[in-house]
DNA sequence: CTGGGGACGGGGCCC
DNA sequence: CGGGCCCCGTCCCCA
């Protein structure tokens, strides 16, 4: 029983405590509410007082300003008519942030036709939650056109509402931001564009332009050596080259423009279609090329050859050569080196003529380049389908053609002193001791590059070149400088580097005596400094 | 900022 | 197959 009584007692105490607690909470809340109401009342009263004082201050200011303005008007009336609006100090102060001006003050100044004062002209000024009426004194100008510039100057000099500031700045600056000519020269960051332009649409557009530009800059600035596709050249297995040899000249000429344009696209990455997307000219270019090749079903061919589906724009142009070759493989035999030439490329045309003249000479024992292809096929076929670089190929052909001709003119095969060199190049008549050497040499003319790198699709005419090139990927640098421990992948580079330590400068300019460590430096120097002398000679 | 020059890497090709 | 040379392009430094 005692336990029961104790439990009842505890229960009663708990209930009483709860009631007391609730009562205390209620009383606290009531007190807070009351104090809050009082506080709010005091606040409102203070605000009313503030408004009253403010109006009084405004009235005083108005009076003072009116007195000043009347004095000024009298002076101006004596001097000349006013040329611009003068906004009172009151407004200037607000413009600097002392007041809070928003859209309401857009109608702040109105040009009037009379040089008269208007008192108590009111404008609506947003003061946060509500609006209040501000009395402003304005000196009105009779010349409305003269007003606006002055107003803008007044607004722009203070820290106004950001929105307003943006409204002002989105005039000429935003136009400059959208200017497609200006933008590429000075790519802006996204943030800076946002600051200037203000409106989301402009920001978006500017951003797009900037990114486009960035893409272009990045890709056009990339090292072409790293990507043989740069010049729009196909991957051509030996068999393809073989057919290239029998391409018709008509086709060759028809493709000249397309290839020439392809060289200018500057695209590098086959997986990147930015040039096609961004530059409509490139698109039309590609279509033009297609149309030009309408004689052959080159689309079908390309899809069969490049089944990987990564047929980019360059690939399209690249394939053109091979497709045409396929379709017109039975045409008259004229090597298509000129297919890589733009119209009017005299070097290539000369080469073509040269080639034709050689072909007519049946007395020359030539080694057909076709055999050279066959010899190299095992290497090329082991590689994945890749684009060869006909642009490089083209350059090589031209350079090698020049060299070959120089060699021929300088005594290549015709002046050869050895009767053993009875195997003549069919292009330059240079003599070689064995057919294999002729075949290798003729790649200089044909541009055949049977050795392709599996890492970067670079192709080489000689196996040693490929081997040497692969050090680029492996990073192998077996040659080290004994002076500075610098390492090189090639011995000749080390040799050149050693001149840095030895100070050897064997190449001297015949005009100024300046010496250089490399011949190419001398040549560049003479081109830059003494080209006029050479022209005079 | 610009042009000249040096260092260096890479490709072409002959021997 | 390696040595060697030439050429070109790029990057960097400096006047």
């Amino acid at each position: 029983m005692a336990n029961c009584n104790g439990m009842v007692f505890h229960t009663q105490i708990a209930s009483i405590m709860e009631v007391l607690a609730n009562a205390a909470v209620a009383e606290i809340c009531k007190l807070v509410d009351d104090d809050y109401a009082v506080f709010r009342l005091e606040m409102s009263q203070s605000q009313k007082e503030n408004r009253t004082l403010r109006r009084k201050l405004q009235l005083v200011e108005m009076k003072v300003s009116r007195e000043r303005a009347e004095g000024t008007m009298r002076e101006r009336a004596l001097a000349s008519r006013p040329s611009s609006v003068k906004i009172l100090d009151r407004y200037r102060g607000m413009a600097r942030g002392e007041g809070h001006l928003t859209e309401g003050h857009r109608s702040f100044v109105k040009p009037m036709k009379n040089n008269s004062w208007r008192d108590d002209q009111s404008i609506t000024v947003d003061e946060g939650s509500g609006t209040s009426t501000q009395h402003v004194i304005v000196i009105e100008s009779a010349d409305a056109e003269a007003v606006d510039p002055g107003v803008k100057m007044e607004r722009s000099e203070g820290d106004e509402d950001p929105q307003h500031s943006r409204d002002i700045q989105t005039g000429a600056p935003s136009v400059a931001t959208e200017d497609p000519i200006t933008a590429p020269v000075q790519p802006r960051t996204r943030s800076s564009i946002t600051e200037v332009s203000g409106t989301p649409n402009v920001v978006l557009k500017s951003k797009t332009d900037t990114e486009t530009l960035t893409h272009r800059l990045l890709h056009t600035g990339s090292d072409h050596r790293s990507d043989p596709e740069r010049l729009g050249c196909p991957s051509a297995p030996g068999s393809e080259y073989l057919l290239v040899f029998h391409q018709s000249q008509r086709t060759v000429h028809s493709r000249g423009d397309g290839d020439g344009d392809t060289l200018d696209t500057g695209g590098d990455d086959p997986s990147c279609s930015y040039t096609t997307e961004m530059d409509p000219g490139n698109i039309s270019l590609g279509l033009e090329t297609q149309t030009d090749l309408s004689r052959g079903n080159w689309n079908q061919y390309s899809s069969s050859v490049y089944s990987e589906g990564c047929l980019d724009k360059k690939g399209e142009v690249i394939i053109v050569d091979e497709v045409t070759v396929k379709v017109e493989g039975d045409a008259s035999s004229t090597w298509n080196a000129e297919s890589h030439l733009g119209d009017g490329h005299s070097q290539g045309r000369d080469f073509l003529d040269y080639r034709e003249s050689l072909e007519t000479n049946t007395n020359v024992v030539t080694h057909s380049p076709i055999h050279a292809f066959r010899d190299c096929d095992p290497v090329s076929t082991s590689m994945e389908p890749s684009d060869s670089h006909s642009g490089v190929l083209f350059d090589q052909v031209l350079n090698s053609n020049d060299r070959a001709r120089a060699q021929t003119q300088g005594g290549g095969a015709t002046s050869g002193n050895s009767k053993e060199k009875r195997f003549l190049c069919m292009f330059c008549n240079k003599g070689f001791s064995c057919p294999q050497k002729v075949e290798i040499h003729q790649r200089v003319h044909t541009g055949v590059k049977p050795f392709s790198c599996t890492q970067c699709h670079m192709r080489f005419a000689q196996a040693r070149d490929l081997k040497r090139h692969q050090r680029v990927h492996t990073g192998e640098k077996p040659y080290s400088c004994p002076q500075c421990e610098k390492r090189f992948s090639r011995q000749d580079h080390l040799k050149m580097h050693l001149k840095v330590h030895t100070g050897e400068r064997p190449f001297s300019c015949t005009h100024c005596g300046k010496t250089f460590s490399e011949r190419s430096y001398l040549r560049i120097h003479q081109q830059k400094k003494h080209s006029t002398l050479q022209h005079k000679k």
Side-chain angles (χ1 to χ4, degrees):
Chain A
M1 284 297 289
N3 288 338
C4 278
N5 287 337
M7 289 185 64
V8 170
F9 178 73
H10 282 293
T11 307
Q12 287 176 348
I13 287 177
S15 62
I16 289 169
M17 290 286 286
E18 186 175 351
V19 169
L20 287 175
N22 288 337
V25 169
E27 195 162 340
I28 291 170
C29 290
K30 185 183 177 184
L31 286 173
V32 170
D33 290 343
D34 290 345
D35 289 344
Y36 181 66
V38 172
F39 179 72
R40 288 187 62 182
L41 187 63
E42 289 177 354
M43 285 276 290
S44 62
Q45 287 177 352
S46 298
Q47 287 177 348
K48 285 181 181 178
E49 289 177 0
N50 281 338
R51 290 196 194 104
T52 304
L53 291 173
R54 196 178 301 168
R55 284 175 185 171
K56 286 181 182 177
L57 181 63
Q58 288 171 359
L59 286 174
V60 172
E61 285 181 348
M62 279 192 293
K63 287 179 182 177
V64 174
S65 301
R66 185 183 299 178
E67 290 173 358
R68 287 183 187 172
E70 283 175 349
T72 306
M73 287 298 289
R74 287 192 203 103
E75 291 175 1
R76 290 187 180 182
L78 293 174
S80 63
R81 60 189 288 264
S83 61
S84 63
V85 173
K86 179 177 178 60
I87 301 177
L88 298 180
D89 292 341
R90 162 75 177 157
Y91 176 70
R92 286 201 188 116
M94 295 176 73
R96 290 188 208 103
E98 299 170 14
H100 188 82
L101 291 178
T102 56
E103 297 296 329
H105 70 279
R106 284 179 177 280
S107 58
F108 190 76
V109 177
K110 287 182 180 178
M112 299 294 288
K113 293 189 176 181
N114 299 325
N115 285 339
S116 60
W117 283 101
R118 276 186 57 191
D119 290 347
D120 298 332
Q121 183 178 1
S122 63
I123 65 169
T124 301
V125 178
D126 189 356
E127 286 189 347
S129 59
T131 59
S132 66
T133 301
Q134 298 286 338
H135 297 271
V136 182
I137 298 172
V138 178
I139 297 176
E140 291 153 343
S141 171
D143 189 355
E145 295 176 359
V147 165
D148 290 337
V151 173
K152 285 182 179 179
M153 287 179 63
E154 290 280 79
R155 286 176 178 174
S156 60
E157 70 182 19
D159 294 332
E160 292 183 278
D161 179 53
Q163 178 63 39
H164 187 108
S165 177
R166 258 182 260 131
D167 290 341
I168 294 174
Q169 292 184 6
T170 39
S174 65
V175 174
T177 304
E178 289 185 273
D179 189 355
I181 299 174
T182 308
V185 178
Q186 295 285 343
R188 303 186 183 196
T189 62
R190 193 176 305 182
S191 60
S192 66
I193 291 167
T194 305
E195 280 181 15
V196 175
S197 55
T199 60
N201 288 338
V202 176
V203 173
L204 185 61
K205 188 175 188 308
S206 301
K207 174 189 152 214
T208 306
D209 289 345
T210 305
E211 289 182 350
T212 303
L213 172 72
T214 306
H215 268 97
R216 285 182 179 173
L217 290 175
L218 285 174
H219 286 283
T220 54
S222 61
D223 187 3
H224 69 278
R225 292 181 187 274
S226 62
D227 191 343
E229 302 174 8
R230 155 182 153 268
L231 296 175
C233 307
S235 163
S239 59
E240 302 301 328
Y241 281 108
L242 193 153
L243 288 166
V244 164
F245 247 97
H246 300 281
Q247 188 180 10
S248 74
Q249 188 171 352
R250 178 172 57 91
T251 306
V252 165
H253 287 295
S254 68
R255 282 202 314 275
D257 293 337
D259 275 339
D261 290 339
T262 306
L263 295 174
D264 295 333
T265 57
D268 278 330
D269 188 352
S271 64
C272 181
S273 61
Y274 64 95
T275 52
T276 304
E277 291 175 359
M278 298 302 180
D279 192 348
N282 285 336
I283 298 173
S284 62
L285 189 151
L287 292 175
E288 188 178 323
T289 307
Q290 262 186 311
T291 306
D292 197 28
L293 292 164
S294 59
R295 290 186 300 271
N297 187 6
W298 73 277
N299 277 324
Q300 179 184 348
Y301 179 79
S302 62
S303 62
S304 64
V305 172
Y306 297 89
S307 58
E308 296 171 340
C310 58
L311 186 63
D312 61 325
K313 183 191 169 307
K314 297 190 302 296
E316 292 168 3
V317 182
I318 288 164
I319 293 163
V320 163
D321 285 346
E322 297 174 2
V323 171
T324 312
V325 169
K326 281 282 186 182
V327 173
E328 303 183 0
D330 55 349
S332 60
S333 63
T334 300
W335 186 59
N336 82 328
E338 183 151 313
S339 67
H340 303 288
L341 305 177
D343 283 344
H345 202 299
S346 59
Q347 275 186 306
R349 208 163 291 280
D350 290 342
F351 172 75
L352 191 66
D353 297 336
Y354 180 72
R355 167 75 177 85
E356 288 171 346
S357 65
L358 282 177
E359 278 186 328
T360 58
N361 185 1
T362 56
N363 295 327
V364 178
V365 179
T366 60
H367 221 77
S368 171
I370 297 173
H371 298 138
F373 289 117
R374 285 173 184 165
D375 293 340
C376 305
D377 249 352
V379 178
S380 61
T381 51
S382 65
M383 303 303 176
E384 59 185 285
S386 63
D387 293 342
S388 73
H389 36 299
S390 63
V392 176
L393 181 150
F394 154 63
D395 290 337
Q396 290 170 350
V397 168
L398 292 184
N399 293 334
S400 61
N401 179 45
D402 291 340
R403 292 187 187 187
R405 262 195 284 183
Q407 289 170 353
T408 302
Q409 293 166 358
T414 53
S415 62
N417 53 3
S418 173
K419 292 181 180 180
E420 295 176 354
K421 295 184 177 181
R422 55 192 181 88
F423 298 96
L424 302 181
C425 171
M426 63 181 294
F427 297 101
C428 65
N429 273 4
K430 187 177 181 180
F432 294 89
S433 58
C434 63
Q436 287 77 19
K437 288 186 177 181
V438 177
E439 292 168 2
I440 293 173
H441 161 77
Q442 283 183 154
R443 293 173 195 162
V444 172
H445 306 289
T446 62
V448 175
K449 296 180 177 181
F451 306 96
S452 62
C453 177
T454 57
Q455 313 256 354
C456 68
H457 297 174
M458 280 290 293
R459 301 179 74 92
F460 301 90
Q462 299 184 24
R464 195 186 75 97
D465 293 338
L466 172 61
K467 184 180 178 181
R468 189 178 66 179
H469 157 79
Q470 285 177 335
R471 288 178 184 166
V472 175
H473 303 299
T474 62
E476 181 187 1
K477 293 183 177 180
Y479 306 99
S480 61
C481 175
Q483 307 283 336
C484 65
E485 303 299 329
K486 198 169 171 57
R487 303 185 70 86
F488 299 90
S489 60
R490 286 162 50 171
Q491 192 175 18
D492 56 329
H493 287 171
L494 171 60
K495 186 178 178 181
M496 296 298 295
H497 163 76
L498 285 174
K499 292 179 181 177
V500 176
H501 300 297
T502 61
E504 182 184 0
R505 301 167 74 93
F507 305 100
S508 61
C509 177
T510 57
H511 302 292
C512 64
K514 190 174 175 61
T515 58
F516 302 90
S517 60
E518 296 184 28
R519 187 185 303 276
S520 59
Y521 300 163
L522 172 61
R523 185 180 50 79
I524 294 171
H525 160 79
Q526 289 180 338
Q527 285 177 353
K528 289 181 178 178
K529 293 291 186 181
H530 309 299
S531 60
T532 54
L533 293 175
Q534 290 175 352
H535 282 305
K536 287 178 182 177
K537 289 179 181 179

